[in-house]
Amino acid sequence: MWECLINDLDIHNRLGMKIKEYYEGKRILITGTTGFLGKVVLEKLLWEVPGLEKVILLIRPGKGQALTQEAATSRFKNCIASSRLFDRLRDREPDFEDYLKKKIDCFPCDLAEEGLGISDPYRKEICDGLDAIIHVAAEVSWQERVDRSIKINTLATKQLLDCAKSVTPHPHFIYISSAYVNGFRSGTVREQLFDPEKSIANELGGKVPFSIENEIEFALANSKIVDAESHSTDLYESFKEEAEQQRLAGNKIDVSLKDQIETIRQNHVRSQLSDAGMKQANLHGWTDTYTFSKAMAEMLLVKHQENVPIAIIRPPGITSAVKEPAKGWLEGFHLVEPLIVGMGKGLIKAFPGLESSLIDTVPVDYVVNLTLSACATLEEGTEPSVFQIGTSQTNPIDLASISTIWRSYFNKNPLTNDAGKLVSVPPIKFFNCPKAFNQKIQRRYLYPLNLAQVLLKGTKFAGKSKSYQKAVYWVAKSKKRVQRICQFSDLYSAYTMNSWVFSSENTMGLFRRLSNKDQQAFDFDTTKIDWKSYWQETHIPGMKKYVLKDNP
């Protein structure tokens, strides 16, 4: 009897939820539409809701351009509207350009700037009458300088929340975070909010004090110190020497020596601040600067929510679309694509990872459908909702299985190497210790390069001949490449050595409450994914078609 009552109640709840109807006549602000996920959010919203009143896009103009509406609109036309992503909308709308003009307003912004780089006249036009803010934009590099990651991922999120607070009634606020904000947690991790006064290290027993405000202040102050030190005479001489080596080695340089030195200086500062961010992230229980800055953004939302309805979406690695806007749709390389191509090209024969580790990925259209469903069903007067959308709980697959599926695909559909020959893909050897993997790489490549560098420096008679400088530059460049491989393995091993199980009760509970019609239109039921079919018939062919431009 109780089961019947629960089923009846579930049906009643489902029939009451209408996602499309929520968006009818609404004004929705979206950030991050120049990126992969943001584009798909925009396309899906336009496709499903013809009665949408207006979409407000915050877009950073192209490099070197002023923060003007003309520049933002120009980037929209060149980088977004021109995408093949919108092909089905082009087919539906006879005058596609006119349709976009009616539905979309573009405004300039720079998330790294105070006030998001938005001038007061634009601010009023942007905020007035907003019904929802979907904040997708982020600095996604694991190795970005920490001050920039904090400005874009942490502080910009707080400023957008302030925008929501300035509007009455408050718009729904959706923040796209990451499942990997769970950092050094392990095992099953719940859809729970962060305590703004505690780091993950504190949760795990660490005693190092944690304060969001102190971390932000330290990162911004340290960036000024590192930048000032980079202008020292000693460092200038080393930057100049590196620039001259590049020129003497015969590399094509299209800028002045002064500009080249400045580029090297900036790269040095970025490297120093990236390392500083990684150190702080690890100290407080996060794997990298990206997840550290995203977690602090979540904390600020909790701390300063007031009455704004908020949902936090935490996807793991986002992969190509199952169905919408097109099967296999993908733009750019993300978490797994470098590994897939590296395997297919025969470049990756060994890698740090536990074969039993769960590899948690989710198709982009599932993330988008959850995002739009969560936004439409938010309720006022509640604490922020957390939705983790992954597959480690609902449909798990481990590293050994996924690598077997990838290898099977490439042995049936081989890629070609640089010489144009078909590549046969052997099984990957996994190292269960990143340190052991790095030691092998160093013994095989770095130590011989160090010896070559010493021998070259001792070759006095070579002077500054072109062949000598080429050799010096090649050795230095090769050393950096090997060091990057070791750093790359350290970063990736956080994802291939840790068996997180991302709980998704909230996510699946929301899906079950949707009407049958909405479940079909906004599907995010990850239990239905057939992994072999998805990787071999959808994702890898989509990657080849849309990213590698390898069309048969």
Side-chain angles (χ1 to χ4, degrees):
M1 182 179 75
W2 285 109
E3 186 176 331
C4 292
L5 287 172
I6 291 171
N7 288 337
D8 288 344
L9 180 62
D10 187 49
I11 291 171
H12 174 75
N13 288 338
R14 287 171 64 180
L15 292 175
M17 287 192 175
K18 304 292 184 182
I19 304 303
K20 294 182 185 180
E21 283 83 343
Y22 165 78
Y23 290 102
E24 291 288 336
K26 295 292 196 296
R27 290 173 60 84
I28 312 295
L29 184 150
I30 309 176
T31 70
T33 51
T34 56
F36 170 48
L37 177 59
K39 279 192 184 75
V40 184
V41 171
L42 174 62
E43 195 276 346
K44 176 69 171 181
L45 199 52
L46 294 173
W47 176 256
E48 292 290 352
V49 193
L52 192 70
E53 181 186 329
K54 187 71 71 174
V55 180
I56 310 294
L57 302 183
L58 295 186
I59 298 175
R60 181 174 58 82
K63 189 175 181 179
Q65 291 188 305
L67 289 171
T68 65
Q69 194 162 16
E70 293 75 19
T73 302
S74 174
R75 192 172 186 208
F76 168 75
K77 290 179 179 177
N78 295 331
C79 298
I80 302 173
S82 61
S83 172
R84 292 173 63 183
L85 173 84
F86 296 99
D87 281 352
R88 63 176 180 171
L89 270 171
R90 286 189 186 88
D91 292 339
R92 189 184 78 183
E93 302 296 334
D95 192 339
F96 184 61
E97 189 173 333
D98 185 59
Y99 167 77
L100 292 181
K101 285 180 181 178
K102 291 177 181 176
K103 292 292 181 183
I104 294 172
D105 284 342
C106 302
F107 291 91
C109 79
D110 186 340
L111 299 185
E113 296 293 326
E114 183 66 33
L116 307 179
I118 300 172
S119 63
D120 288 339
Y122 288 150
R123 188 175 300 278
K124 187 176 188 312
E125 196 173 347
I126 289 167
C127 295
D128 278 359
L130 274 182
D131 295 292
I133 296 174
I134 302 177
H135 181 29
V136 183
E139 174 51 71
V140 298
S141 172
W142 297 338
Q143 297 171 284
E144 186 53 76
R145 46 189 289 172
V146 63
D147 59 323
R148 180 170 172 80
S149 289
I150 284 176
K151 286 177 181 178
I152 293 175
N153 294 341
T154 309
L155 296 178
T157 302
K158 169 61 167 57
Q159 293 182 78
L160 282 167
L161 177 62
D162 291 339
C163 171
K165 289 179 182 179
S166 72
V167 180
T168 305
H170 297 320
H172 292 186
F173 191 101
I174 307 296
Y175 177 57
I176 306 297
S177 184
S178 167
Y180 299 117
V181 296
N182 287 294
F184 292 160
R185 292 168 175 163
S186 60
T188 300
V189 286
R190 294 170 51 225
E191 294 160 296
Q192 63 186 21
L193 295 169
F194 282 108
D195 180 343
E197 308 303 324
K198 277 187 179 181
S199 68
I200 287 179
N202 294 153
E203 290 178 16
L204 301 176
K207 303 300 182 184
V208 177
F210 175 79
S211 160
I212 309 172
E213 291 76 17
N214 288 348
E215 290 302 316
I216 292 171
E217 183 180 351
F218 172 76
L220 299 183
N222 188 51
S223 70
K224 294 179 181 177
I225 294 170
V226 172
D227 188 75
E229 289 174 347
S230 72
H231 290 282
S232 70
T233 303
D234 288 346
L235 283 176
Y236 174 82
E237 290 301 323
S238 71
F239 300 152
K240 183 180 178 183
E241 180 181 355
E242 183 178 343
E244 289 173 340
Q245 281 183 358
Q246 291 176 5
R247 288 172 178 264
L248 288 168
N251 293 326
K252 186 178 179 181
I253 308 294
D254 296 326
V255 297
S256 67
L257 179 62
K258 180 181 177 182
D259 289 343
Q260 188 183 356
I261 292 170
E262 174 59 17
T263 298
I264 294 170
R265 185 195 71 80
Q266 290 177 8
N267 289 339
H268 166 82
V269 171
R270 184 175 187 267
S271 176
Q272 293 292 306
L273 293 176
S274 172
D275 291 346
M278 190 70 69
K279 182 178 178 181
Q280 286 303 109
N282 292 168
L283 176 68
H284 292 300
W286 282 276
T287 54
D288 50 61
T289 307
Y290 167 67
T291 55
F292 183 40
S293 59
K294 296 287 279 185
M296 288 197 292
E298 287 195 24
M299 292 177 182
L300 289 179
L301 292 178
V302 172
K303 195 169 186 177
H304 301 283
Q305 176 191 14
E306 295 180 13
N307 295 319
V308 177
I310 296 174
I312 295 167
I313 312 296
R314 292 181 184 164
I318 300 177
T319 52
S320 64
V322 167
K323 184 172 70 172
E324 295 180 301
K327 181 179 178 179
W329 170 261
L330 185 67
E331 186 177 72
F333 275 19
H334 303 280
L335 185 64
V336 297
E337 288 73 34
L339 295 179
I340 296 173
V341 173
M343 172 189 275
K345 290 277 189 180
L347 301 175
I348 296 179
K349 298 180 175 65
F351 205 76
L354 295 174
E355 291 185 285
S356 60
S357 283
L358 301 179
I359 302 303
D360 203 323
T361 61
V362 64
V364 64
D365 40 349
Y366 283 35
V367 180
V368 169
N369 290 338
L370 168 62
T371 298
L372 296 178
S373 299
C375 181
T377 56
L378 269 178
E379 296 179 1
E380 295 183 16
T382 59
E383 68 177 12
S385 301
V386 178
F387 298 97
Q388 290 179 166
I389 177 162
T391 54
S392 49
Q393 183 184 63
T394 59
N395 193 354
I397 183 170
D398 59 35
L399 184 59
S401 300
I402 207 169
S403 63
T404 299
I405 291 171
W406 293 349
R407 179 172 176 254
S408 171
Y409 174 86
F410 286 119
N411 283 334
K412 293 176 183 174
N413 308 273
L415 297 178
T416 55
N417 59 22
D418 292 340
K421 295 182 179 180
L422 297 178
V423 176
S424 177
V425 179
I428 285 185
K429 175 179 173 59
F430 291 108
F431 284 74
N432 59 14
C433 174
K435 187 176 180 180
F437 174 79
N438 285 349
Q439 286 174 343
K440 178 181 178 180
I441 295 294
Q442 289 167 354
R443 282 195 302 268
R444 186 168 180 179
Y445 300 107
L446 194 58
Y447 297 163
L449 288 168
N450 284 336
L451 178 60
Q453 196 168 51
V454 170
L455 293 173
L456 283 168
K457 286 182 178 179
T459 311
K460 304 290 186 183
F461 66 86
K464 290 190 176 181
S465 69
K466 192 171 182 180
S467 58
Y468 173 78
Q469 293 295 339
K470 273 189 174 182
V472 168
Y473 177 68
W474 181 86
V475 169
K477 186 176 180 181
S478 297
K479 278 186 65 177
K480 285 187 176 181
R481 186 179 294 120
V482 173
Q483 288 163 348
R484 278 199 299 272
I485 289 172
C486 291
Q487 191 175 34
F488 180 75
S489 79
D490 286 338
L491 287 167
Y492 256 96
S493 63
Y495 303 91
T496 57
M497 303 287 293
N498 191 337
S499 279
W500 292 289
V501 176
F502 297 124
S503 173
S504 55
E505 277 93 354
N506 292 348
T507 296
M508 296 309 296
L510 173 59
F511 182 76
R512 287 192 294 271
R513 291 197 302 275
L514 299 182
S515 67
N516 289 331
K517 186 177 179 182
D518 282 340
Q519 284 185 352
Q520 292 175 20
F522 298 91
D523 185 11
F524 51 93
D525 181 3
T526 55
T527 64
K528 298 185 298 189
I529 299 172
D530 178 319
W531 285 120
K532 184 176 180 181
S533 172
Y534 173 74
W535 290 113
Q536 295 190 349
E537 298 172 22
T538 300
H539 183 80
I540 299 178
M543 180 187 71
K544 291 167 71 175
K545 178 179 179 179
Y546 295 112
V547 181
L548 301 179
K549 310 299 182 185
D550 179 17
N551 294 321

